[in-house]
């Protein structure tokens, strides 16, 4: 029993489930702020899509991760031979659910996300060796487009609005900040691979300072923007809660507490909990 509980805990922590659930959370948050309903099938489809991508990424980089994330590698090796079947099943489930929803534009966007997720470690990751922080912009962009899922599902015209722009910018920048923070963990392996991430280029100390400065500066901008544009109070409160979250987790990472990375990877899940608390408290 103890082994099973330990396996489940490691699976949730190390195999991307927090981020995948968080991806579904972004869809839910967008639907709440836009006041547009989404079915639970869309949330499960989003989770399955991103979890399949995370399994693929973890499986493909198992040797690279051996040095920087030995515990995750050891966990993955306990069932590595089954990973191709598992990730295939996740993609099948995601495809079935998106097809069941029968929204053409939504299916197209989900397919693009899947392809970008699959081809990222094969082709696009290498661009980071030439373009500074490319992978951070890349990953942040993928999460940001989830804001459009509720709009596409409900057939809402994609018009420019203060709320759409605010939420899109918020998800992108906060995802970018999260990726920069997680890059600190992989700074040695990224430097060895020639990837131009911020930690590999300027070091851990300066990177942590830059991220904290970016987080505080952006939070001030987004909170001011939300107030000036009379955006929902829920959006502004989420931005404030995120600033506090960033200050706490980034300080922990700067002090070399490994649990800081775990909390950082759960940022989207934290958002979901904040929104649910504001909705139902």
């Amino acid at each position: 029993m103890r082994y099973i509980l330990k396996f489940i805990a490691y699976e949730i922590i190390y195999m991307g489930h927090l981020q995948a659930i968080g991806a579904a959370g972004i869809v839910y948050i967008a639907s709440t702020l836009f006041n547009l309903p989404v079915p639970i099938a869309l949330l499960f489809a989003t989770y399955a899509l991103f979890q399949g991508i995370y399994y693929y990424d973890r499986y493909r980089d198992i040797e690279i991760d051996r040095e920087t994330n030995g515990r995750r590698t050891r966990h993955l090796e306990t069932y590595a031979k089954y990973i191709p079947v598992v990730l295939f099943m996740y993609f099948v489930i995601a495809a079935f659910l998106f097809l069941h929803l029968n929204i053409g534009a939504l299916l197209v966007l989900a397919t693009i996300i899947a392809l970008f997720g699959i081809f990222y470690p094969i082709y696009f990751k290498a661009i980071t060796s030439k373009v500074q922080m490319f992978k951070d912009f890349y990953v942040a962009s993928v999460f940001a487009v989830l804001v459009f899922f509720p709009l596409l599902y409900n057939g809402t015209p994609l018009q420019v609005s203060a709320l759409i722009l605010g939420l899109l910018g918020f998800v992108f920048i906060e995802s970018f900040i999260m990726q920069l923070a997680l890059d600190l963990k992989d700074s040695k392996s990224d430097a060895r691979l020639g990837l131009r991430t911020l930690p590999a280029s300027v070091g851990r100390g300066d990177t942590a300072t830059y991220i904290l400065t970016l987080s505080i500066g952006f939070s001030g901008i987004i909170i001011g923007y939300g107030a000036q544009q009379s955006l929902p109070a829920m959006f502004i409160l989420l931005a404030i809660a995120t600033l506090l979250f960033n200050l706490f987790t980034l300080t922990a990472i700067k002090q070399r507490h490994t649990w800081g990375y775990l909390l950082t990877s759960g940022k989207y899940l934290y958002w979901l909990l904040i929104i649910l608390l504001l909705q139902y408290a």
Side-chain angles (χ1 to χ4, degrees), residues 230-247:
S230 299
L231 298 186
M234 188 178 292
F235 175 79
I236 297 174
L237 290 173
L238 179 62
I240 295 172
T242 301
L243 172 60
L244 297 176
F245 177 87
N246 286 344
L247 293 176

Side-chain angles (χ1 to χ4, degrees), residues 64 75 78 97 102 257:
I64 297 175
H75 170 75
T78 62
L97 290 173
N102 197 29
H257 294 300

